[in-house]
Amino acid sequence: MSNNWHSTYDVIVVGSGAGALTGAITAGKNGMKTLVTEKMDKWGGSSAYSGGGLWIPNNFLMREAGLLDSEEEALKYMEAVIHDVGPASSRERKEAYVKNAPVMVEMLRDFGFEWVRAEFYPDYYPEKPGGKVGRCIEGEIFNGKKLGKLLKTINGVPSAPNVPVKSANAYLLPLVFQTWKGFTTAMKILGIAIGWTLTGRYPLGIGRSLVGQLMYILQSNYKTPVWLECPMKDIIIQDGRAVGLVIEKEGKLVNVQAQKGILLAAGGFAKGDEYRRKHQPVGADWTSASPGNTGDIHQIGEKIGCAMALMDEAWWGGSYIMDGKVMFSVNDRSFPGTILVDHSGERYVNESTSYVDFGRAILDREAKVGGAIPSWLIISKQHRRKYMFGMMMPGLTPKKYIKDGTIVKADTIEELANKCNINEENLVKTVKRFNSFAKQGLDDDFKRGNDIYDRYYGDPRVLPNANLAPFENGPFYAIRFYPGDLGTKGGLLTDEHARVLREDGSVIEGLYCTGNNSASVMGQTYPGPGSTLGPSCTFGYVAMNHLAEKK
């Protein structure tokens, strides 16, 4: 049967984020001729937007530092925090993850990828059996000039400054004017930025370092073609096997043959508002995902009979809007001097908890009683004086944000309640109760500041609890918080080899999937920093090794 093939490859990788590029490198290492195709005019996907960390239990940097970890400990932890959500997070998939993740990063290390460890970054549920500190690794600052012409088309958050920062030290930046460690970290980052620029280098940090290093490895070793602005339009199935793709190239539809297999790694559907609302309680308004994540591949997968799972899930997190941009909140809500309330004026969540639990709490509160979208983060004068919030420096709250209503400012809690349409009596009671917690150092309602993760984003100088401080003298500030996300986490159901499955559990031969195109092995939770990128890269690696082993 002839398909009038435009071109032929052993493997076609759809997408250009970290999972896609890791898969393409693995395919090249196994001697397979590979094509990477990307629908956007930039490569890197949401991975380039990200913090760039990968959650890798038992990684080689931990071993070099003398820290004990093992597959068994990682599995114990994953079983403790990931609830049973069906085959997406089956025991077999968890085992495949913890077995292959450390091997995958060692393969990349051997190619020259420079890894560093976020040595103080804890798992998000450190009190659970098997919880550890130091499982998150990331790329060292990378010289983007090594990418040549490809540097011009690397993805990145629009208008965000190119700062050579790493997840390992980013948590210290809000303390830049408060602690010596925060100040020296900021000065070191500034020194790198100036020094590299003066010597003709272009420093890439966090997510852009990750995809930049991966693309450099791919091109310097295999010169793999990368087709930009070439969206996939369909999967060609013959005799139950995926044999090629229909791709739009230069305005024309062409059939491209994949003689061995296809890896789908083109992200989730967070930006596909209409499609998303069919599956989730919110649309695309508050997501931080890349614009290309519109769910095209999900819909094609549904059409050809792929099993789907976790379609109602996302990598949730609280978000706020500044200058018309969605700001994903990680640490600014966690420092002493904040509380989150709904329109009834009641607290309902630990403000310092992991972002996925924080975002889910907003959704759950809205579903249960209403009035939680938006919620309000109340901020004390002391918090505004000491810590960064978003891009606002300590002590500087631009008048434009007060004028346009982004931030509400008031001299008293009562006045703030009225301006925000929050129940005044309840808010006064909530603040009074919270103040008593702050003074005793123990949050009796939500246990804020009780574990290592909370304190990671706290102020160690504040005693007796690094996350709690009372609301005393005004002015007070408030900003709207929404249930945002880093991307969706549901999609095509895959097995432990990353093979795509049908509803009856059978395998669609030749078709593999990873990243947010697939239903996550992490189920409904987020075990630790890098739980999105870790599995994406790992199952891209697993998929191409499995494909290479098939005769």
Side-chain angles (χ1 to χ4, degrees), residues 295-421:
D296 312 32
I297 313 302
H298 292 70
Q299 295 175 71
I300 293 171
E302 289 178 325
K303 186 186 73 171
I304 66 170
C306 301
M308 311 294 284
L310 297 176
M311 293 296 285
D312 59 343
E313 284 297 331
W315 305 99
W316 302 112
S319 296
Y320 53 93
I321 310 296
M322 275 191 160
D323 297 318
K325 301 180 182 66
V326 176
M327 307 289 287
F328 189 85
S329 177
V330 176
N331 55 13
D332 35 25
R333 58 183 162 80
S334 185
F335 287 107
T338 63
I339 57 170
L340 188 83
V341 300
D342 62 10
H343 278 80
S344 74
E346 296 180 357
R347 279 180 83 210
Y348 57 89
V349 66
N350 168 5
E351 293 84 359
S352 299
T353 194
S354 70
Y355 36 86
V356 69
D357 287 345
F358 186 84
R360 183 182 294 282
I362 300 175
L363 288 168
D364 290 347
R365 181 73 170 183
E366 177 69 20
K368 185 177 181 180
V369 301
I373 301 179
S375 288
W376 290 90
L377 188 76
I378 312 298
I379 306 169
S380 71
K381 175 178 70 176
Q382 290 74 22
H383 185 291
R384 267 293 51 235
R385 180 171 59 83
K386 293 180 178 180
Y387 313 119
M388 290 181 64
F389 190 93
M391 297 305 293
M392 294 190 299
M393 298 302 290
L396 298 175
T397 304
K399 291 181 179 179
K400 67 174 183 177
Y401 294 136
I402 309 297
K403 185 176 181 180
D404 67 15
T406 297
I407 296 174
V408 178
K409 180 181 179 182
D411 290 328
T412 66
I413 292 295
E414 292 84 352
E415 182 187 358
L416 192 71
N418 289 322
K419 284 187 173 183
C420 297
N421 195 29

Side-chain angles (χ1 to χ4, degrees), residues 149-181:
K149 294 181 180 179
L150 283 167
L151 178 60
K152 295 180 180 179
T153 52
I154 189 172
N155 203 12
V157 179
S159 73
N162 183 53
V163 181
V165 69
K166 294 179 284 193
S167 294
N169 56 27
Y171 76 102
L172 294 167
L173 293 182
L175 301 172
V176 59
F177 297 120
Q178 301 302 313
T179 67
W180 178 248
K181 196 170 184 180

Side-chain angles (χ1 to χ4, degrees), residues 208-369:
R208 298 178 95 199
S209 168
L210 174 63
V211 297
Q213 291 198 63
L214 291 173
M215 181 62 83
Y216 179 71
I217 290 170
L218 184 64
Q219 296 306 320
S220 58
N221 287 276
Y222 306 113
K223 295 183 172 54
T224 300
V226 178
W227 291 0
L228 298 181
E229 297 183 271
C230 289
M232 173 190 129
K233 294 297 184 179
D234 206 353
I235 300 172
I236 301 170
I237 304 289
Q238 289 181 2
D239 299 323
R241 179 185 179 84
V243 298
L245 298 177
V246 180
I247 295 174
E248 183 179 338
K249 182 174 174 61
E250 297 176 349
K252 297 180 180 179
L253 296 181
V254 298
N255 295 344
V256 183
Q257 185 178 27
Q259 291 185 316
K260 294 188 176 180
I262 296 162
L263 176 61
L264 304 176
F269 56 97
K271 285 288 189 176
D273 190 78
E274 183 178 350
Y275 180 67
R276 183 171 187 173
R277 290 180 188 276
K278 292 179 180 179
H279 299 281
Q280 302 197 345
V282 296
D285 295 334
W286 308 307
T287 184
S288 296
S290 177
N293 290 184
T294 53
D296 312 32
I297 313 302
H298 292 70
Q299 295 175 71
I300 293 171
E302 289 178 325
K303 186 186 73 171
I304 66 170
C306 301
M308 311 294 284
L310 297 176
M311 293 296 285
D312 59 343
E313 284 297 331
W315 305 99
W316 302 112
S319 296
Y320 53 93
I321 310 296
M322 275 191 160
D323 297 318
K325 301 180 182 66
V326 176
M327 307 289 287
F328 189 85
S329 177
V330 176
N331 55 13
D332 35 25
R333 58 183 162 80
S334 185
F335 287 107
T338 63
I339 57 170
L340 188 83
V341 300
D342 62 10
H343 278 80
S344 74
E346 296 180 357
R347 279 180 83 210
Y348 57 89
V349 66
N350 168 5
E351 293 84 359
S352 299
T353 194
S354 70
Y355 36 86
V356 69
D357 287 345
F358 186 84
R360 183 182 294 282
I362 300 175
L363 288 168
D364 290 347
R365 181 73 170 183
E366 177 69 20
K368 185 177 181 180
V369 301

Side-chain angles (χ1 to χ4, degrees), residues 17-272:
L21 295 175
T22 302
I25 291 167
T26 309
K29 186 175 185 292
N30 281 296
M32 294 186 283
K33 180 185 177 184
T34 305
L35 167 69
V36 173
T37 184
E38 164 62 54
K39 77 171 186 177
M40 303 300 288
D41 61 352
K42 295 185 182 299
W43 58 271
S46 289
S47 300
Y49 278 31
S50 75
L54 283 70
W55 190 72
I56 308 293
N58 197 29
N59 63 72
F60 73 94
L61 289 173
M62 292 181 75
R63 296 195 298 272
E64 289 176 359
L67 300 175
L68 298 178
D69 199 5
S70 65
E71 292 178 24
E72 292 74 23
E73 283 287 285
L75 280 170
K76 182 191 299 184
Y77 178 67
M78 292 179 77
E79 293 286 0
V81 303
I82 301 172
H83 302 299
D84 182 11
V85 296
S89 58
S90 67
R91 178 75 179 189
E92 292 79 10
R93 277 177 51 78
K94 290 171 187 166
E95 289 176 348
Y97 179 62
V98 300
K99 176 183 178 181
N100 287 282
V103 183
M104 176 270 297
V105 298
E106 288 176 29
M107 175 198 76
L108 294 174
R109 175 201 61 190
D110 294 343
F111 273 112
F113 194 107
E114 291 188 64
W115 293 106
V116 294
R117 187 168 64 91
E119 58 181 332
F120 301 117
Y121 212 156
D123 291 343
Y124 290 172
Y125 307 95
E127 76 286 357
K128 295 291 187 180
K132 300 282 184 182
V133 174
R135 284 170 166 161
C136 179
I137 65 174
E138 61 184 317
E140 182 58 273
I141 304 301
F142 176 66
N143 180 14
K145 290 289 183 69
K146 291 184 176 182
L147 293 168
K149 294 181 180 179
L150 283 167
L151 178 60
K152 295 180 180 179
T153 52
I154 189 172
N155 203 12
V157 179
S159 73
N162 183 53
V163 181
V165 69
K166 294 179 284 193
S167 294
N169 56 27
Y171 76 102
L172 294 167
L173 293 182
L175 301 172
V176 59
F177 297 120
Q178 301 302 313
T179 67
W180 178 248
K181 196 170 184 180
F183 178 77
T184 56
T185 297
M187 291 302 99
K188 183 177 180 180
I189 290 170
L190 180 62
I192 291 172
I194 295 172
W196 281 45
T197 301
L198 291 175
T199 54
R201 293 173 291 172
Y202 189 85
L204 297 177
I206 52 176
R208 298 178 95 199
S209 168
L210 174 63
V211 297
Q213 291 198 63
L214 291 173
M215 181 62 83
Y216 179 71
I217 290 170
L218 184 64
Q219 296 306 320
S220 58
N221 287 276
Y222 306 113
K223 295 183 172 54
T224 300
V226 178
W227 291 0
L228 298 181
E229 297 183 271
C230 289
M232 173 190 129
K233 294 297 184 179
D234 206 353
I235 300 172
I236 301 170
I237 304 289
Q238 289 181 2
D239 299 323
R241 179 185 179 84
V243 298
L245 298 177
V246 180
I247 295 174
E248 183 179 338
K249 182 174 174 61
E250 297 176 349
K252 297 180 180 179
L253 296 181
V254 298
N255 295 344
V256 183
Q257 185 178 27
Q259 291 185 316
K260 294 188 176 180
I262 296 162
L263 176 61
L264 304 176
F269 56 97
K271 285 288 189 176

Side-chain angles (χ1 to χ4, degrees), residues 527-548:
S531 292
T532 308
L533 292 169
S536 182
C537 294
T538 298
F539 282 107
Y541 168 81
V542 167
M544 294 300 96
N545 280 331
H546 182 267
L547 184 61

